[in-house]
Amino acid sequence: MMELLGNLLLGLSVSLSPDNLLLCFGGALIGTLIGVLPGLGPTATVAMLLPLTFHLPPVGALIMLAGIFYGSQYGGSATAILVNLPGESSSVVTCLDGHAMARQGRAGVALATAALASLFAGIVTTVLIAVAGPPLAGVALAFGPAEYVSLMLLGLIGAVTLAHGSVVKAIAMILLGLLLSMVGTDVNSGDTRFTFGLPQLYDGIDFVPLAMGLFGLAEIIASLEQTGGAGRTTAPIASLWPKREDVRQAWPATVRGTVMGALLGILPGGGATLGSFAAYSLEKRLARRPERFGQGAIEGVAAPEAANNAASQACFIPMLSLGIPPNAIMALMIGAMTIHGITPGPQIMAKQPELFWGMIASMLIGNVILVILNLPMIGLWVRLLKVPYGYLFPAILVFCCIGTYTLNSSGFNILLMALFGVLGYALRKLDCEPAPLMLGFVLGPMLEENLGRALLLSGGDPSVFATRPISGSLLAAAGFLLVLMVMPTVRRRRDEAFKDE
Amino acid sequence: MSSLPLSDLHPSSPAAAPHHGPSTEPRDAPRSGTESDGQPPVRAPQDLAAGLLITAFGLTALWLGRDWPTGTLASVQSGFFPRMIGLLMVLAGAVVTGRSLLSQGAALPSLGWRPLFGVTAAVLAFAGTVEFLGLVPAVLILVGLGNLAGRPLRPVPLALLGAALAAGCVALFVWGLGLPLRVWP
C-alpha cells in the first residue's frame, strides 16, 4: 500500500511538472477537437496526431498521446449525442439514448452526464491500473517464448470479437497485417522479404503511413461519400446540469458501467466496444421500465459512457505490463513507444518507473482536465460541428501528409499512405474491418520471433504450446473464445437467412 | 456478451416465417424478382469479392516467397512464417468465397469514385511536389485537388482556405516545431 502511494506520488511529480501538465492539457484539447469531427473516431485521431509527439521527450509524448486518446473518445461521444453519428463502434450505444435526450432538448444534460460518468470511471480504473499493473508484470517475467506466442494468439483472437461481422474476415485481416509486418529485412537472417526490390522498403513499412492511410484517409473518403462536404444540423442545447432526479438515476448505472468496462477492458481483445454494449444491455435488463431505453433514458448514457472509458483505460494494463496491445489504439501506442526507443513490456516498470507512473498519474489528471475543459466548451464543439466538411477535410489531409512526410523526410511514405488509404476504403466497402489488421501488423515481428524461438528451444516439437501449463491454458482460452464467437455468428446467419426469405 | 443484444433479433424471425408460408414453393420466379433483379448468379457478391481479394493476397504472398528457405521446425528460416501465413490466408479466403456461394449476403456496395480519386490524387500530388517545390505550393496544390473530391467550394473561399492552411502549416511546422521543411520552390 505504501509502495503504491509512493509510486503514485512519483507519477504525480512527473505529470504535474509544468511541461507535462501543458502536454496533457494540449493533448486532451486537440484530441477532443479532432474527435468531435464526424467520422473521425479515436483510432483515426490518434493515428493522425502521432507526428505531433515525435519531437517530444518520451514521457511527454506518451502523456500527450494518452490525452489525445481520451480527449478523442469524449469528442466522439459528443458527436454521437449531438448529431447521432458514432465516431467509432464504442459510441454506437451512446447514440441510442444520448441522441434521444438531445432531441428532447436535454443534450446539455446528456453531455454533462457523459463527462461525469467518464470522469468517475477514469479515476477508478486508473487506480486499478496502479494496483494490478505490477503483479501482472511480475507474472509476465516468468513468460517464455511459448507463453508469449499463446498470449499473442489469445490477444489476436480476442481482437476478432471487437470486429463486427464475419469472424473469418476478421481473421483474414489479422493475417494480412502479419504479412505486411514481414515486409523488409528479416532480423535473424538478413534476407529481404516482400520488398519488390525497393530500397525504401528494406526497413519495413512504417506504421504511421499504414495507420493514417487505413484509418485517416479511408475515413475521409467515406465521410465525403456520405455528406459530399456539407455541414451537419445539431440538436440545440438548453441546460447543462443534470437535475437531482437525473443524478439519482445515473450514478448506480455509472458504477455498474465502470465495473463492467474495467473487467472487459483487461481481457485481451475486450476493449471499449464490448464494454459499452455489455453495460447497456445490463442496464436494460435491470431497469424497472426497460421500454424507456432508446427514448432518452439517462442510464443509457451514463452506463455505456462509464464502461467505454473504464475499458479503454483498462486496456493500458496488458499493454503496459505485458507489452501486448489488446486493440488497435494500444497498437498505435506501442508503435509510438517504439519510435521513442522504448520497448513495452514488464521491464518498463522496473527500468523506467517515472515513465510508467508518470503516464498513469497523468491519466488521473487528464480525466479531470477533460471535464473542466469540456463543460464550458460544449458550445464551441457544437459550432465546430456546423463547419462544412468541405473546409475541414483539406486541413485534415494537409496534416496527415505533413505528418507522414516528416517521419523521415521522404515522399515515399506519403505514397504508401495513399496506397493504404485506397486499401482501407476497399476493405471497408467489403465489410472487412481494418482494426484487426493493425493489431496483426504490430504483433507480427514479436509473434514470428517468439514462435521461432519456442520451436528452437523445444527442438522442433510444436506440442510445447499445449503442454506448458500457462501457455496451454492461454491457448485453451483462445480456443474457447473462438468457439464462443462462432456460435452467435451461426445464429445470426440463420436469422439473416430467415429475414431474406 | 454480444449475444444479449442479439436475442432481440429473435422476435423478427417468427414474423418472417408466416410471410414465407403463403408461397408454397420457397424459390419461385415472382418472389425472387422482388428480392433482386432476376436470378442472381451469386448470392453474396460482397463476400465473394472479399474472399477473392483475401485469396489473391495469400496467393501473391506464397508466389513471392516460393524460393525462400523454410528450414526445419527446429530451426525455422525466413521463408517459414510467410509461407504459413500465406497458406492460412488462402484458406480463409477460400472459406469466405465458399460461403458467399452458399448463403445469402449483401450486394456489392457502390463506390464513391469521386472522393476516392480526389483524395488519392491530392495526396499523391503533395507527395510529388513537397520535395521539389516546397511546402507552400504543395499545400496549395493539395487543397486545390482535394476540393474536387467533395462538393467544390467557390473560388474565393477556396483561395482563402488554401492561404490560411499554407500559412498555418508554415507557422506550426516550420517556425513552431522547427521541422526541416522546404517552404518555397
Side-chain angles (χ1 to χ4, degrees):
Chain A
M1 195 61 212
M2 282 319 287
E3 202 190 334
L4 178 68
L5 273 180
N7 284 332
L8 276 179
L9 279 181
L10 169 70
L12 282 173
S13 71
V14 173
S15 59
L16 281 176
S17 78
D19 282 2
N20 288 337
L21 203 57
L22 194 69
L23 287 173
C24 186
F25 180 82
L29 179 67
I30 303 173
T32 317
L33 195 76
I34 305 286
V36 130
L37 302 176
L40 287 178
T43 319
T45 310
V46 174
M48 277 177 197
L49 295 178
L50 263 181
L52 271 187
T53 63
F54 286 168
H55 303 272
L56 297 171
V59 183
L62 288 177
I63 286 180
M64 184 166 181
L65 274 178
I68 290 173
F69 168 41
Y70 37 75
S72 63
Q73 194 132 37
Y74 183 76
S77 308
T79 320
I81 290 170
L82 290 171
V83 286
N84 202 18
L85 267 183
E88 198 152 69
S89 45
S90 63
S91 45
V92 167
V93 232
T94 310
C95 280
L96 301 174
D97 279 284
H99 191 62
M101 282 179 78
R103 277 200 312 268
Q104 296 161 9
R106 305 214 305 147
V109 179
L111 285 168
T113 306
L116 294 171
S118 298
L119 172 68
F120 175 81
I123 291 176
V124 171
T125 319
T126 306
V127 174
L128 182 71
I129 298 177
V131 174
L136 209 60
V139 172
L141 286 176
F143 273 27
E147 281 77 18
Y148 266 107
V149 170
S150 304
L151 184 65
M152 281 184 261
L153 281 180
L154 176 61
L156 288 174
I157 299 288
V160 175
T161 54
L162 272 181
H164 51 75
S166 155
V167 174
V168 190
K169 278 189 198 169
I171 292 176
M173 287 301 102
I174 291 178
L175 295 172
L176 184 56
L178 292 174
L179 276 183
L180 287 173
S181 78
M182 286 178 231
V183 174
T185 312
D186 177 35
V187 274
N188 292 321
S189 61
D191 300 339
T192 54
R193 299 186 291 192
F194 302 123
T195 54
F196 304 97
L198 294 169
Q200 292 98 326
L201 281 178
Y202 285 177
D203 285 339
I205 294 175
D206 224 303
F207 94 114
V208 175
L210 179 69
M212 281 211 195
L214 281 183
F215 295 101
L217 289 193
E219 294 210 12
I220 292 175
I221 297 171
S223 314
L224 274 176
E225 186 189 352
Q226 283 159 17
T227 65
R232 301 268 176 194
T233 46
T234 59
I237 290 185
S239 122
L240 200 61
W241 290 106
K243 290 195 280 287
R244 183 168 302 166
E245 196 201 332
D246 292 332
V247 175
R248 198 179 47 76
Q249 283 175 327
W251 79 261
T254 305
V255 175
R256 285 190 292 264
T258 304
V259 174
M260 189 68 122
L263 285 179
L264 289 172
I266 299 178
L267 297 179
T273 311
L274 204 58
S276 59
F277 270 92
Y280 188 80
S281 2
L282 179 73
E283 287 309 313
K284 209 170 164 180
R285 295 248 151 150
L286 290 177
R288 212 170 299 145
R289 292 184 13 239
E291 67 278 6
R292 277 174 50 246
F293 280 77
Q295 313 285 327
I298 196 163
E299 303 98 301
V301 177
E305 277 302 299
N308 177 341
N309 206 32
S312 54
Q313 291 202 12
C315 289
F316 277 89
I317 298 179
M319 197 274 275
L320 284 172
S321 52
L322 305 177
I324 304 277
N327 56 34
I329 294 192
M330 289 303 118
L332 289 176
M333 294 293 278
I334 287 202
M337 287 178 148
T338 324
I339 286 176
H340 284 286
I342 305 164
T343 319
Q347 68 284 354
I348 281 194
M349 229 170 285
K351 282 195 192 144
Q352 289 164 303
E354 73 290 340
L355 181 100
F356 182 84
W357 294 104
M359 202 164 144
I360 286 179
S362 85
M363 290 180 195
L364 275 181
I365 296 165
N367 276 291
V368 177
I369 288 181
L370 209 57
V371 170
I372 300 174
L373 184 73
N374 276 302
L375 291 182
M377 286 177 99
I378 285 171
L380 182 71
W381 307 141
V382 174
R383 220 165 304 154
L384 187 66
L385 277 173
K386 288 183 180 159
V387 175
Y389 200 58
Y391 288 90
L392 284 176
F393 86 87
I396 304 174
L397 272 186
V398 168
F399 204 86
C400 288
C401 285
I402 298 183
T404 311
Y405 176 73
T406 54
L407 201 57
N408 50 10
S409 293
S410 94
F412 183 75
N413 274 331
I414 311 183
L415 295 182
L416 273 185
M417 178 177 79
L419 182 74
F420 288 127
V422 175
L423 177 69
Y425 180 71
L427 291 179
R428 202 166 294 230
K429 281 290 170 185
L430 295 175
D431 206 20
C432 297
E433 274 205 65
L437 192 163
M438 199 65 219
L439 205 55
F441 179 77
V442 171
L443 285 180
M446 260 196 285
L447 187 61
E448 180 175 9
E449 201 186 327
N450 282 299
L451 185 70
R453 210 181 290 161
L455 285 172
L456 180 71
L457 288 178
S458 71
D461 177 13
S463 70
V464 269
F465 299 110
T467 49
R468 290 180 61 117
I470 302 180
S471 167
S473 34
L474 287 170
L475 271 189
F480 176 71
L481 259 184
L482 201 60
V483 170
L484 206 69
M485 268 182 310
V486 170
M487 284 191 319
T489 318
V490 170
R491 232 173 59 194
R492 204 181 321 156
R493 296 235 151 241
R494 227 191 43 209
D495 284 343
E496 269 169 17
F498 253 93
K499 250 190 258 167
D500 278 342
E501 275 306 311
Chain B
M1 282 317 136
S2 56
S3 68
L4 292 181
L6 280 178
S7 56
D8 297 336
L9 289 176
H10 263 302
S12 67
S13 34
H19 189 70
H20 174 94
S23 64
T24 40
E25 275 118 50
R27 300 215 161 269
D28 45 353
R31 285 251 321 129
S32 67
T34 55
E35 298 177 7
S36 56
D37 40 343
Q39 195 76 28
V42 178
R43 290 177 164 193
Q46 188 195 44
D47 273 357
L48 179 68
L52 291 179
L53 183 72
I54 295 165
T55 315
F57 273 123
L59 287 176
T60 312
L62 288 178
W63 187 74
L64 286 172
R66 64 198 181 281
D67 294 332
W68 299 345
T70 49
T72 60
L73 268 184
S75 88
V76 294
Q77 286 177 24
S78 59
F80 176 79
F81 203 52
R83 190 160 301 177
M84 185 174 101
I85 301 302
L87 280 175
L88 283 174
M89 236 180 136
V90 171
L91 187 72
V95 171
V96 175
T97 312
R99 239 178 17 191
S100 77
L101 301 173
L102 295 175
S103 64
Q104 208 71 248
L108 266 188
S110 64
L111 289 177
W113 292 109
R114 191 186 170 99
L116 180 61
F117 277 117
V119 168
T120 309
V123 171
L124 290 179
F126 185 91
T129 51
V130 68
E131 275 167 334
F132 306 107
L133 294 180
L135 186 60
V136 171
V139 167
L140 292 179
I141 291 172
L142 188 152
V143 171
L145 275 175
N147 185 44
L148 301 175
R151 196 174 304 143
L153 301 172
R154 280 187 306 265
V156 176
L158 181 65
L160 286 178
L161 178 69
L165 279 180
C169 286
V170 173
L172 177 63
F173 291 102
V174 181
W175 300 338
L177 295 173
L179 300 181
L181 284 165
R182 187 171 172 175
V183 179
W184 295 106

